[in-house]
Amino acid sequence: MSSYSAMQERKGKGVLYKFISYIPLLLLTVIIVIPVGWAFTASIKENAEFYGSPWALPKGVYLQNFADSWLKANMGDYMLNSVLVTAMSIALLLAIALPAAYVLARYRFRGNVLWNTMFMAGLFINVNYIVVPIFLMLNEGDKLSRTFFGQPILLNNMVVLALVYAAMALPFTIYLLAGYFKSLSKEYEEAAAVDGAGHFRTMIQVIMPMARPAIITIILFNFLSFWNEYIISMTLLTKPEFKTLPVGLMNLMAAQKSAVEYGQLYAGLVIVMLPTLLIYILVQKKLTQGMTMGGLKG
């Protein structure tokens, strides 16, 4: 009877602990869901509805807000620019980070510790603090390019912006991937070597498929970072035809001048954040696996 009572007491404490631990999660969910839901609701309101209660539900679905924000601020062009820059950035990042992380995690060579230390140090550098030196460096490069080629080639160049984005994300990406690669058993590589596979083939055909959850994780994280980035894009792309989607929101406000159309502003905000929400919904399972799943220990 005493053992039964002790078991019931432990069970009651477990339920209480679980309930207490869920409270912060519920609060965090509310903090995130309410602003996002409010933005979606506000995007389909007519402008006159904003002068009443801000929490009132829309009287109807006013989709003209999306058409106006898309056309008045050229957000279609800005979205295309964002898609191109983000795709190039992620492609460059994966092409550099995957082999680098694999070599640093799986092989020991002279300089291995130095390279690992340098990439770890890069985690503490916020690129927003060095955007001015980056701009000045590219501006000086454009002065040379005018001398040799007759025109600037570094500023207002989406490929250069993609290179900056990839370099910005390289330390964190290598850190995350290297940690995942270290958790994989060396038996897989030994089996591939017995089959006659070289280092490159082993990395591509054996290790990379096993690391798919981690790769999807870093793609998602970096997509969110590149898609929503504002300061670097605004600094390095000064011509209107090259601007990205977050900068387009500022153009929408400028286009409205003194007559603020809140519905159009929130529609523009929804256009910016909708792709990130959809991608997260589609890959959330893989994201969880990438953050929690390790390889088979040897």
Side-chain angles (χ1 to χ4, degrees), residues 126-156:
N126 189 327
V127 73
N128 291 324
Y129 298 151
I130 60 173
V131 65
V132 173
I134 291 174
F135 173 80
L136 294 176
M137 179 181 67
L138 295 178
N139 191 45
E140 289 297 320
D142 272 346
K143 291 180 181 178
L144 292 176
S145 70
R146 288 189 185 95
T147 302
F148 293 102
F149 304 107
Q151 61 181 1
I153 58 175
L154 298 178
L155 294 175
N156 293 304

Side-chain angles (χ1 to χ4, degrees), residues 55-297:
W55 300 106
L57 293 176
K59 297 177 181 178
V61 179
Y62 191 67
L63 297 179
Q64 186 63 33
N65 288 332
F66 291 92
D68 291 340
S69 64
W70 187 270
L71 297 173
K72 287 185 178 181
N74 297 321
M75 296 192 73
D77 295 336
Y78 298 140
M79 176 172 279
L80 178 60
N81 291 340
S82 286
V83 169
L84 292 175
V85 169
T86 302
M88 287 189 292
S89 302
I90 291 176
L92 287 168
L93 181 63
L94 292 178
I96 299 170
L98 284 171
Y102 176 70
V103 171
L104 290 173
R106 309 298 281 185
Y107 298 102
R108 293 293 174 263
F109 55 90
R110 182 175 297 179
N112 180 282
V113 175
L114 176 62
W115 280 106
N116 273 295
T117 302
M118 290 175 63
F119 282 118
M120 286 290 292
L123 292 172
F124 300 96
I125 299 176
N126 189 327
V127 73
N128 291 324
Y129 298 151
I130 60 173
V131 65
V132 173
I134 291 174
F135 173 80
L136 294 176
M137 179 181 67
L138 295 178
N139 191 45
E140 289 297 320
D142 272 346
K143 291 180 181 178
L144 292 176
S145 70
R146 288 189 185 95
T147 302
F148 293 102
F149 304 107
Q151 61 181 1
I153 58 175
L154 298 178
L155 294 175
N156 293 304
N157 187 326
M158 289 192 289
V159 176
V160 173
L161 179 62
L163 283 170
V164 173
Y165 281 172
M168 171 182 72
L170 203 57
F172 172 76
T173 302
I174 289 179
Y175 172 77
L176 192 149
L177 286 174
Y180 190 91
F181 288 149
K182 287 177 182 178
S183 71
L184 299 176
S185 173
K186 288 188 176 293
E187 294 177 359
Y188 299 114
E189 290 160 310
E190 294 170 358
V194 170
D195 291 339
H199 296 307
F200 183 77
R201 182 182 168 190
T202 300
M203 181 185 70
I204 296 297
Q205 296 185 354
V206 178
I207 301 299
M208 296 306 176
M210 295 175 60
R212 188 178 292 114
I215 294 172
I216 292 175
T217 300
I218 62 108
I219 288 175
L220 178 60
F221 280 160
N222 288 301
F223 175 86
L224 295 174
S225 176
F226 300 155
W227 185 265
N228 295 315
E229 200 284 320
Y230 175 78
I231 296 176
I232 302 173
S233 175
M234 182 184 66
T235 305
L236 303 186
L237 302 178
T238 57
K239 293 184 178 179
E241 62 268 25
F242 294 118
K243 292 185 181 297
T244 54
L245 196 55
V247 184
L249 280 176
M250 297 300 296
N251 279 30
L252 179 57
M253 295 181 66
Q256 293 178 353
K257 298 180 181 178
S258 59
V260 180
E261 296 288 342
Y262 294 104
Q264 294 176 21
L265 288 175
Y266 283 105
L269 179 62
V270 169
I271 291 173
V272 172
M273 69 179 181
L274 191 58
T276 60
L277 291 175
L278 291 176
I279 289 178
Y280 178 77
I281 291 171
L282 291 174
V283 302
Q284 60 176 331
K285 184 177 180 180
K286 292 291 184 181
L287 175 63
T288 305
Q289 291 176 355
M291 296 300 294
T292 59
M293 188 178 74
L296 178 64
K297 297 291 183 179

Side-chain angles (χ1 to χ4, degrees), residues 12-28:
K13 289 181 179 179
V15 172
L16 179 61
Y17 174 77
K18 184 180 294 186
F19 175 76
I20 294 174
S21 64
Y22 282 166
I23 291 177
L25 296 177
L26 290 173
L27 291 175
L28 182 62

